Amino acid sequence: MSSRLRRALVATAAVSTLMLAGCAADGSGSGSSEAAADPDALVVYNAQHEELTQEWADAFTEETGIEVVLRNGDDSELGNQLVQEGAASKADVFLTENSPAMSLVEEADLFAPVDEATLALVPEQYRPASGAWTGIAARSTVLVYNPDLISEDELPASLMDLAEPEWKGRWGAAPAKADFQAIVSAVLATQGEDATRDWLEGMAENATEYRNNIVTMKAVNAGEVPVGVIYHYYWYRDQDAAAEDSGNTELHYFGNQDPGAFVSVSGGGVLENAPHPDEAQQFLAFIAGEQGQQILGEGYSFEYPVASGVPAKPELPPLDSLDAPVIDPSTLNGPEVIDLMTEAGLL
């Protein structure tokens, strides 16, 4: 076992075991307890949004007659659980919100190659060069800001600027969540270890920590801090509703291939020892295919489709206009990020 895998397992093994045990106990997912007992049911370890994956599962079952059981959890929890289970896992498919957990499972050699026809549905920038898994959705890093507290021309030119002393007490984020840790992995990939360490030390000094993206956005909306680092879709979802938690805010896109313009790829992969490998490949192809991507693009999530040429909701700026940094998603190093954030006192 590599030191990278060992570090990740030590950091989260106990939590992941408890969390997944809870998921398994309640039989959550598109199947009932009866479906969970069905040896022909496809088992998906799901760290994507539950509502979205439920829609995918229901549509796939209607199309193929194949039952799907979802085991819902967090990216890192389920990724570490798969590494712990190894060849004994009963999982057929793994879906995530962010790609570092996919990289962890890939490094453990637990994925079967994705069918070439499925890979062909997804542009190269939204899947790893290895072909061990594929992108299924994307979300953009953004800066949410309160124009009553800060003008647009006062916003930082780069995400990296937030580590500077003038930003002390003036921004918020949710460092304990996999979403933000994926953003840090982009800082690491584009800026290197030393710069990332310095940035995290600046964050520990400057930032107010919140529980998640939504709470961060609420804090900016309420005027607790002028700006916050989140993913785009939380803001668009709230705007699409009553804008109760975002009505006093606007979004800033960094662009310029800045780490603050990072586009995080949600991943999907078939496990090497999947009990139902053919059906698992069918499910992944369905998600990446036109019907699955339309469910994503037209649904509640406001995430970006990445496959089959399906457009995002018209309210969103086009994905190819965001000028995101170019990063092979399989190179994002989740365990090293955990180490660096722990060292900085953020975890």
Side-chain angles (χ1 to χ4, degrees):
M1 180 183 294
S2 71
S3 60
R4 178 179 172 185
L5 285 174
R6 189 176 295 109
R7 291 197 305 269
L9 289 170
V10 169
T12 59
V15 175
S16 64
T17 301
L18 289 171
M19 288 295 293
L20 191 63
C23 291
D26 67 13
S28 59
S30 67
S32 61
S33 58
E34 179 181 354
D38 182 355
D40 294 325
L42 195 70
V43 176
V44 177
Y45 278 24
N46 177 52
Q48 244 295 344
H49 298 291
E50 294 179 25
E51 182 176 334
L52 170 61
T53 309
Q54 187 70 63
E55 289 185 69
W56 277 336
D58 291 343
F60 177 74
T61 299
E62 183 176 354
E63 178 84 11
T64 65
I66 300 169
E67 293 291 335
V68 179
V69 175
L70 304 184
R71 303 300 189 203
N72 297 310
D74 177 82
D75 280 356
S76 58
E77 292 160 356
L78 293 181
N80 279 283
Q81 185 72 25
L82 284 169
V83 173
Q84 290 175 335
E85 291 175 349
S89 179
K90 301 302 182 184
D92 293 293
V93 175
F94 182 35
L95 304 180
T96 65
E97 288 191 352
N98 301 283
S99 62
M102 301 298 292
S103 299
L104 185 72
V105 175
E106 179 181 357
E107 186 176 288
D109 296 322
L110 294 176
F111 282 131
V114 176
D115 285 350
E116 289 293 333
T118 303
L119 292 176
L121 298 170
V122 184
E124 290 183 0
Q125 66 265 39
Y126 303 124
R127 54 181 168 87
S130 65
W133 52 275
T134 188
I136 55 173
R139 66 279 301 280
S140 174
T141 308
V142 293
L143 196 73
V144 60
Y145 70 98
N146 189 323
D148 290 336
L149 300 180
I150 189 170
S151 63
E152 188 173 7
D153 60 7
E154 294 175 307
L155 297 175
S158 168
L159 182 75
M160 305 303 289
D161 294 344
L162 293 173
E164 299 299 323
E166 59 264 32
W167 286 98
K168 183 176 176 62
R170 300 179 65 206
W171 69 286
K177 301 299 290 183
D179 281 354
F180 189 81
Q181 291 162 23
I183 295 169
V184 178
S185 73
V187 175
L188 180 61
T190 59
Q191 308 298 309
E193 182 177 331
D194 290 343
T196 302
R197 181 179 287 107
D198 291 345
W199 187 78
L200 289 171
E201 289 174 356
M203 177 181 176
E205 182 69 22
N206 292 348
T208 301
E209 298 181 23
Y210 294 103
R211 189 171 70 252
N212 55 40
N213 281 275
I214 294 173
V215 177
T216 302
M217 181 176 67
K218 287 181 177 181
V220 177
N221 190 63
E224 293 179 20
V225 288
V227 305
V229 177
I230 64 172
Y231 282 143
H232 78 278
Y233 61 88
Y234 293 99
W235 190 87
Y236 281 99
R237 280 187 200 167
D238 192 67
Q239 290 281 306
D240 190 54
E244 181 178 352
D245 298 323
S246 65
N248 300 325
T249 69
E250 297 181 15
L251 290 189
H252 172 68
Y253 289 81
F254 284 103
N256 299 312
Q257 298 188 23
D258 188 81
F262 170 61
V263 170
S264 183
V265 174
S266 301
V270 173
L271 279 301
E272 177 69 35
N273 295 289
H276 311 98
D278 293 339
E279 293 85 351
Q281 293 284 357
Q282 288 180 54
F283 183 69
L284 193 57
F286 178 85
I287 290 174
E290 184 174 0
Q291 186 176 351
Q293 291 290 287
Q294 283 181 343
I295 289 171
L296 166 65
E298 297 172 1
Y300 86 106
S301 78
F302 277 90
E303 292 177 276
Y304 284 98
V306 296
S308 301
V310 174
K313 284 182 176 287
E315 296 92 330
L316 300 180
L319 188 55
D320 60 8
S321 75
L322 302 182
D323 198 16
V326 179
I327 304 171
D328 184 330
S330 68
T331 66
L332 297 177
N333 192 328
E336 186 172 357
V337 164
I338 296 295
D339 284 351
L340 290 169
M341 294 183 72
T342 301
E343 181 184 323
L346 291 166
L347 294 177

